[in-house]
């Protein structure tokens, strides 16, 4: 599905050749953690870590395109991140606009489609505007789906799904007897998307932090101590390679 265009063409490494063989995860979700620690280690302000983290996003997008991943979902801002100092919140919520300002032309050129999950309503106007523009500009693209989780929280997502579902039952659009896992998942932000096959979390933390709780039911997890700003093309390919070696049984034998 993802098309390779000249910009992304690089000489293939052995791992990349192997990755292309088969069993590449269709949907990869990433909890990009460790920006603050990366900055602290260098005596830099936390915001410098987030800025470096943004640059890594573009590198990883290129790898995802090259490795034929279909969907890349990135946890960019959680509903809990509002608890950070205002200056950091403002900076984090400015990053989508900055990222798209720099990279949208390359993303368009390479057939990447931008989407988001999360509650966009309460985000700053400039963030919403930049994201809306990018979505419009890329809506017909059918290469990599780059899906930013912005003001995303899984419990909130599930609660709002239940609210809408009950409304639909009240208005007889849906009956309780018809409700099953498939129908429920259509009320989530991720409606229409396959569940992640692989979840990556960086920086040594091994928890979900309210990310895609429903959607990760059968996902393979991959953790690394590498801090997000140090996450490289090679580390990503190692995660993809390790995924290829896993046997998924979905509760069967
Ligand atoms: C967690 O690290 C990271 C975040 C809360 C933000 C992640 C955002 C980016 C990587 C940039 C996003 C880019 C775009 C294009 C939207 P942390 O700050 O909690 O790190 P720490 O645990 O070391 O303090």
């Amino acid at each position: 599905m993802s098309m390779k265009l000249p910009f992304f063409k690089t000489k293939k490494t052995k791992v990349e050749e192997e990755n292309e063989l088969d069993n590449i995860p269709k949907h990869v979700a990433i909890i990009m953690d460790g920006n603050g620690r990366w900055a602290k280690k260098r005596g830099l302000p936390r915001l410098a870590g987030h800025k470096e983290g943004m640059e890594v996003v573009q590198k990883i997008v290129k790898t995802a395109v090259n490795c034929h991943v279909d969907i890349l979902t990135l946890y960019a801002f959680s509903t809990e991140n509002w608890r950070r100092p205002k200056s950091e919140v403002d900076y984090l919520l400015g990053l989508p606009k900055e990222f798209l300002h720099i990279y949208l032309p390359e993303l368009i050129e390479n057939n990447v489609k931008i989407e988001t999950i999360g509650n966009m309503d309460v985000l700053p106007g400039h963030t919403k505007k930049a994201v809306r523009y990018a979505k419009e500009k890329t809506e017909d693209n059918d290469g990599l789906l780059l899906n930013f989780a912005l003001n995303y929280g899984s419990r909130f997502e599930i609660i709002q799904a239940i609210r809408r579902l009950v409304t639909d039952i009240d208005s007889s659009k849906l009956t309780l007897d018809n409700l099953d896992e498939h129908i429920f998942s259509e009320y989530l932000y991720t409606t229409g998307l396959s569940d992640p096959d692989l979840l990556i979390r960086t920086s040594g933390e091994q928890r979900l932090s309210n990310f895609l709780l429903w959607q990760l039911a059968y996902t393979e997890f991959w953790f690394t101590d590498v801090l997000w700003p140090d996450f490289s093309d090679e580390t990503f390919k190692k995660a993809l390679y390790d995924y290829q070696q896993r046997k998924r049984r979905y509760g069967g034998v």
Side-chain angles (χ1 to χ4, degrees):
M1 158 170 157
S2 44
M3 236 169 65
K4 274 183 292 173
L5 288 170
F7 181 84
F8 287 111
K9 267 189 190 153
T10 51
K11 194 172 174 307
K12 297 231 166 49
T13 63
K14 189 165 175 292
V15 177
E16 195 170 7
E17 299 276 3
E18 284 168 9
N19 275 340
E20 281 186 2
L21 292 179
D22 63 358
N23 199 30
I24 277 289
K26 276 167 65 92
H27 185 171
V28 179
I30 308 185
I31 303 177
M32 310 179 288
D33 197 6
N35 295 346
R37 277 163 284 168
W38 181 90
K40 194 171 177 206
K41 267 174 42 182
R42 285 162 179 75
L44 296 169
R46 292 178 57 81
L47 305 191
H50 296 314
K51 169 92 175 163
E52 191 64 23
M54 182 194 85
E55 301 299 339
V56 172
V57 167
Q58 179 64 2
K59 273 195 251 170
I60 294 316
V61 166
K62 287 184 197 177
T63 309
V65 169
N66 278 338
C67 292
H68 303 261
V69 169
D70 287 345
I71 306 170
L72 183 64
T73 297
L74 302 177
Y75 207 3
F77 192 89
S78 77
T79 46
E80 288 71 33
N81 287 150
W82 294 102
R83 295 181 194 145
R84 296 185 178 212
K86 185 174 181 308
S87 55
E88 185 167 343
V89 167
D90 289 347
Y91 190 79
L92 283 170
L93 293 178
L95 284 180
K97 181 180 172 186
E98 184 170 349
F99 175 80
L100 292 167
H101 178 71
I102 304 170
Y103 295 114
L104 185 60
E106 280 174 31
L107 296 169
I108 291 171
E109 194 185 326
N110 287 282
N111 199 22
V112 174
K113 181 178 166 98
I114 310 282
E115 266 301 341
T116 58
I117 52 173
N119 179 10
M120 295 284 287
D121 296 347
V122 293
L123 295 184
H126 64 87
T127 309
K128 284 194 272 197
K129 196 172 160 205
V131 170
R132 208 180 305 126
Y133 179 76
K135 284 186 188 177
E136 278 167 21
K137 283 281 175 197
T138 61
E139 67 186 347
D140 294 329
N141 291 355
D142 63 357
L144 176 75
L145 175 64
L146 176 55
N147 186 29
F148 286 108
L150 274 176
N151 194 24
Y152 175 86
S154 194
R155 289 184 173 180
F156 179 81
E157 175 186 37
I158 291 169
I159 297 284
Q160 66 85 30
I162 293 170
R163 281 194 189 126
R164 288 176 40 229
L165 197 144
V166 170
T167 308
D168 282 356
I169 290 177
D170 283 350
S171 63
S172 305
K173 269 197 208 153
L174 178 70
T175 66
L176 208 43
D177 285 345
N178 285 340
L179 180 60
D180 60 13
E181 291 180 14
H182 177 73
I183 289 183
F184 184 75
S185 65
E186 286 175 356
Y187 285 82
L188 299 172
Y189 294 126
T190 46
T191 180
L193 302 185
S194 60
D195 288 340
D197 301 291
L198 174 66
L199 171 84
I200 296 173
R201 183 167 189 156
T202 59
S203 91
E205 310 295 347
Q206 303 195 356
R207 54 177 172 266
L208 290 182
S209 302
N210 203 14
F211 191 43
L212 301 172
L213 301 181
W214 170 276
Q215 297 87 341
L216 295 176
Y218 288 102
T219 301
E220 295 292 323
F221 290 2
W222 194 86
F223 299 108
T224 174
D225 288 340
V226 172
L227 304 174
W228 177 252
D230 289 328
F231 193 79
S232 65
D233 181 59
E234 281 307 305
T235 323
F236 190 27
K237 286 175 186 163
K238 174 76 170 69
L240 298 177
Y241 178 79
D242 286 352
Y243 172 86
Q244 289 178 304
Q245 315 313 311
R246 304 242 182 126
K247 297 267 175 293
R248 299 180 74 186
R249 292 196 300 271
Y250 301 95
V253 287

